[in-house]
Every structure is written in C-alpha cells, then in structure tokens.
Amino acid sequence: VQLVESGGGLVQPGGSLRLSCAASGFAYNDYVVGWFRQAPGKEREGVGCVLIGSGRTRAVHVANLARGRFLIAHDEAESSDDETETTIKLLMTMLKAEDTAVYYCASGRDNVCNNYLRANDFDRWGQGTQVTVSS
C-alpha cells in the first residue's frame, strides 16, 4: 500500500485548504483510509476516516474536533493507462491556529473507521503534509 499526501501550506485563520491522499496497492476490496494530524509536542489525533468497499464510499466518520468544518470525500478515477486512481480528500474550512499540524493519511482494515479512530489501528502511513494556519 502506498499513500501520498499533498496540498498542505500556509493559510490565514478562517481560510480553507484541501488536502489529497493518493492511495494505491490495496490487496482487499474493503479498507479504511483515515486522516490524522500531529502538532509539535502533541499526540497524533484522528480527524476522520472513510470506509471504501469495492471502489465506493460505504461510510464516513468525522471526529468531533473537525465536525462542521472539515469534510472527507473519496474519488475513484480511471487513469490514462486504465489503472484506477483512488483519492481521499480532506476539505478544511474555517481554519484556526490550533489546526496547525502535520496531516497524515493512513490505511487500515475495514473495521477501524469508528468513533475511537485510533492511530494504532492503522498500519500504513503517508509521509505527511504540513498545514500552517497563521496571519
């Protein structure tokens, strides 16, 4: 499994940002991709997750810290060489300074997208992308 995040950057408070996670190499039809973040000196925390089954979104969960401000969207597209490209987007609005962190996408089995959203339940991780909210 390979996960590659993109889209991080500097944004002003109240602004919006869209992160993308390009995911590939899954051996099973059903799996979960989650978004996590980690600020300096803090533990990694879950932002949200999506359960994907046979290429379709089956369920989406957004953690309380992001509810009402962040959305998670899943998209499947055929590339020019007939491969399927899977993208999981994190759409962030009304950003605050406390949203500043490195954001990661991660994958896990089909039963880990839940209210607990524990990082230990996810076994593959991307390299992360920095999001900085500052004026």
Side-chain angles (χ1 to χ4, degrees):
V1 173
Q2 286 191 323
L3 303 160
V4 180
E5 303 94 337
S6 62
L10 174 64
V11 62
Q12 291 187 342
S16 301
L17 202 61
R18 184 179 72 180
L19 306 183
S20 293
C21 172
S24 63
F26 293 99
Y28 302 102
N29 287 332
D30 298 349
Y31 55 90
V32 167
V33 175
W35 280 100
F36 293 81
R37 69 185 187 185
Q38 188 165 19
K42 294 189 176 181
E43 292 187 357
R44 194 166 295 189
E45 58 183 355
V47 176
C49 54
V50 55
L51 169 63
I52 299 168
S54 299
R56 297 184 178 183
T57 298
R58 299 302 182 183
V60 176
H61 169 71
V62 178
N64 287 339
L65 64 89
R67 198 162 294 166
R69 298 189 300 128
F70 295 1
L71 292 175
I72 296 177
H74 157 238
D75 181 57
E76 302 266 334
E78 293 290 329
S79 66
S80 58
D81 55 358
D82 292 331
E83 293 289 326
T84 299
E85 296 180 342
T86 299
T87 305
I88 297 87
K89 300 172 186 175
L90 179 63
L91 312 172
M92 303 186 292
T93 65
M94 296 182 283
L95 284 162
K96 309 172 184 178
E98 51 263 43
D99 294 317
T100 295
V102 178
Y103 283 71
Y104 300 89
C105 65
S107 68
R109 300 190 65 177
D110 60 359
N111 60 347
V112 300
C113 187
N114 52 48
N115 290 335
Y116 300 104
L117 202 51
R118 292 180 289 232
N120 287 342
D121 289 336
F122 290 74
D123 51 13
R124 300 287 186 179
W125 292 80
Q127 82 286 354
T129 186
Q130 176 71 46
V131 171
T132 302
V133 184
S134 175
S135 56

